[in-house]
Amino acid sequence: MPHQPISVSGVEVTPLCDAVGPMGAAIRRPLPEMFAGSGLRDEPWVLHFHCYLIRDAADRLTLVDTGIGAADSPASSWAPVPGTLAGELAAVGVAPAEISTVILTHLHSDHASGAVAGGEPMFANARYVVQKADLDVAQGPVLDEIVSAIKAQLHVVEGDAEVTPGVHVRHTPGHTPGHQIVRAGEVAMTGDLVLHRAQLDDPSLPYLYDDDREAATRIRTEVLDALRAERAILATAHFSEPFLRLHPLLGHDVLS
Ligand SMILES: [Zn+2]
Ligand SMILES: [Zn+2]
């Protein structure tokens, strides 16, 4: 079921819950290894896999991330496939063909696999916004099955950009070279900039699967500091709560 939408600054943001589940054995590690130095207990880590649908004042639809994809998608080796993005969109009355822009925060299989269905672009009328730095390093099934299928609809950006009126991407390299976050009004959709609540309290905590842990830590700290200063709304891919209102001095409220 989709989580509750919020309306801010003339846009409506709806979290679509593509899946909920633990990482599969292929990449699962105990939490104290996933977040070294965190002091987290070794307990199950259940991830939500969220995509976000933005409807602006002119009724344009932008989708941020596409989830884990079909049962045989590149994410199937470790994520709880199949994803339910199509059903989530139907539940809020949106057909895939109505979406004009798809922003992929990065080209990991649990964010990009739902971009394709049956070897064809899932969103026939959308351009797919991806950072060049992630395209440059794409390989394996993500390149062969996802990027190649959406090639004709790719909208490649380098650095920060306004991709549709009021919707901005910011290049935040670290988790991947071309990781980007998305801003719509006061909502920041942060992909895998932050993976676990422990990193809100201590942004210096590295994540095992950050591509460049030093860069990821630096950009995570910088972005979270800035978002806190403006009391922005944080919308992550993998927390169970789709929205958190950040406060200076490390506090945050769950928005329902
Ligand atoms: Zn969810
Ligand atoms: Zn990722």
Side-chain angles (χ1 to χ4, degrees):
M1 280 293 290
H3 295 277
Q4 282 299 310
I6 55 172
S7 292
V8 287
S9 334
V11 298
E12 182 189 65
V13 181
T14 304
L16 304 173
C17 201
D18 184 50
V20 179
M23 283 182 177
I27 66 166
R28 186 194 307 151
R29 299 287 181 276
L31 275 177
E33 276 180 47
M34 286 281 199
F35 301 95
S38 64
L40 286 168
R41 286 187 303 155
D42 180 10
E43 58 187 5
W45 184 22
V46 177
L47 294 90
H48 286 228
F49 295 80
H50 291 152
C51 310
Y52 291 87
L53 181 69
I54 303 167
R55 184 188 290 275
D56 70 19
D59 255 1
R60 280 179 295 251
L61 292 170
T62 298
L63 180 66
V64 178
D65 282 336
T66 60
I68 60 181
D72 61 349
S73 90
S76 60
S77 63
W78 70 272
V81 293
T84 60
L85 178 61
E88 292 285 281
L89 284 168
V92 296
V94 170
E98 293 178 74
I99 292 173
S100 53
T101 305
V102 174
I103 301 171
L104 299 175
T105 59
H106 61 300
L107 290 178
H108 276 168
S109 60
D110 56 323
H111 295 256
S113 292
V116 169
E120 299 291 328
M122 167 85 171
F123 303 97
N125 300 313
R127 65 209 163 108
Y128 288 84
V129 178
V130 183
Q131 287 283 334
K132 180 174 183 295
D134 256 21
L135 285 171
D136 287 345
V137 297
Q139 57 176 326
V142 167
L143 177 63
D144 299 339
E145 296 170 32
I146 309 298
V147 174
S148 63
I150 61 174
K151 206 166 195 165
Q153 292 169 227
L154 278 178
H155 177 97
V156 182
V157 289
E158 278 188 82
D160 303 349
E162 183 173 34
V163 295
T164 193
V167 178
H168 299 254
V169 295
R170 177 177 173 194
H171 184 204
T172 50
H175 180 67
T176 63
H179 189 276
Q180 58 187 346
I181 65 170
V182 183
R183 287 299 301 263
E186 57 191 307
V187 182
M189 286 146 279
T190 53
D192 282 355
L193 181 82
V194 183
L195 274 292
H196 192 280
R197 294 278 287 262
Q199 291 179 306
L200 283 187
D201 300 330
D202 183 359
S204 74
L205 286 178
Y207 174 54
L208 182 63
Y209 297 119
D210 282 337
D211 183 76
D212 178 337
R213 287 182 212 167
E214 211 172 292
T217 295
R218 194 166 55 237
I219 199 82
R220 181 166 49 246
T221 304
E222 180 195 322
V223 170
L224 284 177
D225 279 355
L227 294 177
R228 282 187 196 291
E230 60 169 292
R231 297 172 186 258
I233 296 169
L234 181 73
T236 71
H238 297 304
F239 289 14
S240 52
E241 313 83 355
F243 298 119
L244 295 173
R245 168 80 72 180
L246 296 174
H247 294 287
L249 305 176
L250 297 185
H252 53 261
D253 301 329
V254 174
L255 300 185
S256 57

